[in-house]
Amino acid sequence: MNLFRFAGDMTHLLSIIVLLLKIRTTKSCAGISLKTQELYVIIFLTRYLDLFMRYISLYNTIMKLVFIGTSIGIVWYMRYHKVVKQTYSKNEDTFRHYYLILPCFVLALLIHRAFNVNEVLWTFSLYLEAVAILPQLVLLQRSRNIDNLTGNYIFLLGAYRALYLVNWVYRFFLENRLVRWIPWVSGFIQTALYADFFYYYLKSWKNQERLQLPA
């Protein structure tokens, strides 16, 4: 554990808190992609299969349970809460997210560290997380006007992965860790997908304007 890894974890956790805050306080999930949230449920369930088989630390266990529980809770709110589900932007959330699942799984079968269930599913979760934000970004482009809580949620989600990249570079140079190409490349692709959003987010913050994305 180092400062960048911890900052990444806290930024990720804060992004989820912001999203839950938006849903609970406004009773609205407008601007949030259900499809991206469903992909995150799959990501966390496949990544943390070792939860009850390999104990690392209390911190590690708690964070895994929090990510699994909150991701399922968010999907439940968006699908079944009698008020929140009525605010879901279904007509704009049209990205066919299931097209992302099979290619990522096939790639995990072909490129992995070890050919066993845990490693293949862990690798699959990294590949899927790299592209899971696509439905959300497409939805934002279609809705264009983005409320502050939604904008903050997406920014924090992207910042978490950027901090993880810095963590890996730090560990490589200062802890003599080997390059782990699968998380490095997946993390770089994931962060790159946020580049356009980061630009407009920071621009709107600097000018104190409402965040808008180009059509």
Side-chain angles (χ1 to χ4, degrees):
M1 179 67 69
N2 59 64
L3 178 62
F4 299 111
R5 165 68 186 277
F6 182 73
D9 285 348
M10 293 302 103
T11 303
H12 193 185
L13 183 60
L14 185 57
S15 73
I16 295 172
I17 292 172
V18 168
L19 178 54
L20 287 171
L21 182 66
K22 168 188 168 69
I23 294 175
R24 289 292 301 269
T25 58
T26 67
K27 293 295 187 292
S28 171
C29 63
I32 301 299
S33 169
L34 174 60
K35 295 180 178 182
T36 285
Q37 299 307 318
E38 289 175 337
L39 291 178
Y40 277 122
V41 171
I42 297 172
I43 289 164
F44 293 136
L45 288 176
T46 53
R47 181 171 302 171
Y48 300 143
L49 279 179
D50 65 343
L51 185 60
F52 301 106
M53 294 182 289
R54 184 167 65 101
Y55 179 80
I56 297 176
S57 68
L58 181 61
Y59 171 85
N60 185 274
T61 300
I62 290 174
M63 293 298 285
K64 288 178 178 180
L65 290 172
V66 167
F67 289 137
I68 291 173
T70 53
S71 64
I72 293 173
I74 289 167
V75 169
W76 180 88
Y77 263 108
M78 295 183 70
R79 278 193 170 276
Y80 303 112
H81 191 279
K82 62 181 180 181
V83 177
V84 175
K85 70 178 182 180
Q86 295 176 12
T87 65
Y88 169 49
S89 309
K90 185 176 182 178
N91 293 334
E92 295 173 334
D93 192 19
T94 57
F95 190 99
R96 297 181 179 179
H97 63 322
Y98 43 82
Y99 284 172
L100 300 173
I101 298 173
L102 183 59
C104 289
F105 185 71
V106 171
L107 188 60
L109 288 173
L110 298 174
I111 305 175
H112 47 257
R113 293 190 309 180
F115 191 66
N116 58 61
V117 173
N118 281 348
E119 283 295 330
V120 169
L121 290 180
W122 177 81
T123 305
F124 163 71
S125 76
L126 289 178
Y127 294 153
L128 188 59
E129 187 179 18
V131 294
I133 197 61
L134 285 174
Q136 179 65 67
L137 294 178
V138 170
L139 173 56
L140 292 183
Q141 280 198 318
R142 289 178 177 170
S143 58
R144 299 194 62 191
N145 287 302
I146 306 163
D147 65 79
N148 288 335
L149 286 175
T150 300
N152 292 339
Y153 162 67
I154 304 300
F155 177 79
L156 290 167
L157 200 58
Y160 126 74
R161 182 48 65 178
L163 285 166
Y164 258 59
L165 284 178
V166 178
N167 159 61
W168 292 328
V169 173
Y170 173 89
R171 297 180 71 183
F172 174 74
F173 285 106
L174 297 183
E175 298 180 6
N176 297 318
R177 295 300 183 97
L178 297 175
V179 175
R180 299 177 67 185
W181 289 110
I182 292 174
W184 278 47
V185 173
S186 300
F188 178 80
I189 292 172
Q190 183 179 354
T191 305
L193 290 176
Y194 285 89
D196 191 56
F197 175 84
F198 283 161
Y199 170 76
Y200 287 102
Y201 179 91
L202 294 173
K203 181 180 177 182
S204 68
W205 176 78
K206 180 181 178 180
N207 297 330
Q208 297 184 338
E209 300 172 343
R210 186 180 179 89
L211 177 60
Q212 289 186 328
L213 297 182

